[in-house]
Structure formats: C-alpha cells, structure tokens
Amino acid sequence: KQEVTQIPAALSVPEGENLVLNCSFTDSAIYNLQWFRQDPGKGLTSLLLIQSSQREQTSGRLNASLDKSSGRSTLYIAASQPGDSATYLCAVRRQGYSTLTFGKGTMLLVSP
Amino acid sequence: DAGVIQSPRHEVTEMGQEVTLRCKPISGHDYLFWYRQTMMRGLELLIYFNNNVPIDDSGMPEDRFSAKMPNASFSTLKIQPSEPRDSAVYFCASTREIGRGTGELFFGEGSRLTVL
C-alpha cells in the first residue's frame, strides 16, 4: 500500500524567502507525482506533474524534483510572496493504478 | 475548456434529507473521481469511473451513498438519508486515459455540504 507523507505540516516564512516543501512515499514503483495547491474554500489546482522518467519540472518560481529511489519529491518555491499562502498537497500514482494517493498537505503562510 | 464543473457549491440540509451532488468532467476525459475532504481525514477517494463504468467503490462509506455516471459528461453522487457526519467538501476530478494523456488530474471547485 502506498503511503505519502508531507513534512512539515505547517510552515510560516517571511516574504522573499526561498523554501522547500517535502513529500515522501513508500512505494517507489510510481507512474507519476503531482503537486497541487489548495486555497481556503477552493478546489485543488494542479501545479506540476512529474512523470517517473523525469527528475524535475519547473513552472515560474516553482521547481519540483523527484528521486524515485529514495521515495522523495521536493517543491521549491523561490522568492516567496504572500499570494503563495495556501495548502500544498503531493499525490502519487503507482504504476498500474488509476488512482492517486494524497499526502495530508503542508499549510504555508507567507507574511508580508 | 471550462474545467471540471460541480454543483451546488454549497448545500445546507437537515438530517434525513436526500442530497444530490453533480459533476461535469472535462470533455474528453476518460476517468472521473469523487473525493471527500474533511479536516480529520483529509482527502478520501469515494469512487471512480472509467468510460462511465464504476471501477472501484470501496471508498463509499455506507449504502446511503451512491454514484452514477449515465454519460461521459455527467455524474452524480447521492446521499440518502443524509447525516451530520456526512458534512464535508465533496470534490469531483477527471483525467484522461494514461497513454492518451499525461495522467494529470484536474479538480472541480467542490461542493460544501452541511447536514444539520
């Protein structure tokens, strides 16, 4: 059974800091890994999708990396802004499966 | 594309009433998922469909919950009778068949259900 853990559960940083959110998974036989953002009262917005054959994906100030062998992914946010405040969730799809396993998320607060 | 569309966005009802949540997936997507999110349990997969056929409903909590997908552009999640512990945000999500797409999952805005 795949288990996904996100550390830390909550993070508070001042504006402008570079930060890293962590995601770990127990079964390295994955198809892909997806990072989502969720604002309060809203749905999940897909940020980045990394296929199992890839090492990283970048979108603007966001960079996600994947290390299958160690069962880890990181989401790097450069020059954080108050608008980045949200909950960030990591989800993993195992090979041969159609469903994703979600972590419980990291709640990020970026203060002005 | 308009994305995954869910209705209603908010529903307040009394215990014992029937609740129907609706979802329109992204056109061309083969898979549709229903999730429930609570503070205590996080995101839980309730049921998913492939080409309108239910594949796995093991996450449906009780017989009070049922889901249908009569065609490729519409799905419903029904709770009858509703109970206060069903209060949660219910999300619908869709994706394309692996091989025809990247497998990226897209979510709707959710339906917030409050059962009094």
Side-chain angles (χ1 to χ4, degrees), chain B residues 48-95:
Chain B
Y48 76 95
F49 296 82
N50 179 215
N51 292 323
N52 314 337
V53 177
I55 303 299
D56 184 354
D57 65 355
S58 60
M60 297 285 260
E62 299 172 35
D63 290 345
R64 299 183 295 106
F65 286 69
S66 63
K68 294 181 179 180
M69 192 165 186
N71 57 63
S73 59
F74 183 67
S75 178
T76 59
L77 178 67
K78 188 173 292 187
I79 308 172
Q80 166 63 18
S82 59
E83 296 183 3
R85 59 193 167 120
D86 301 331
S87 298
V89 182
Y90 292 81
F91 288 105
C92 177
S94 70
T95 187

Side-chain angles (χ1 to χ4, degrees), chain A residues 1-4 25-29 92 94 97 101-102 104:
Chain A
K1 178 185 175 185
Q2 179 73 274
E3 293 183 2
V4 179
F25 45 94
T26 53
D27 186 347
S28 62
V92 175
R94 292 165 66 190
Y97 287 79
T101 302
F102 281 82
K104 293 193 181 302

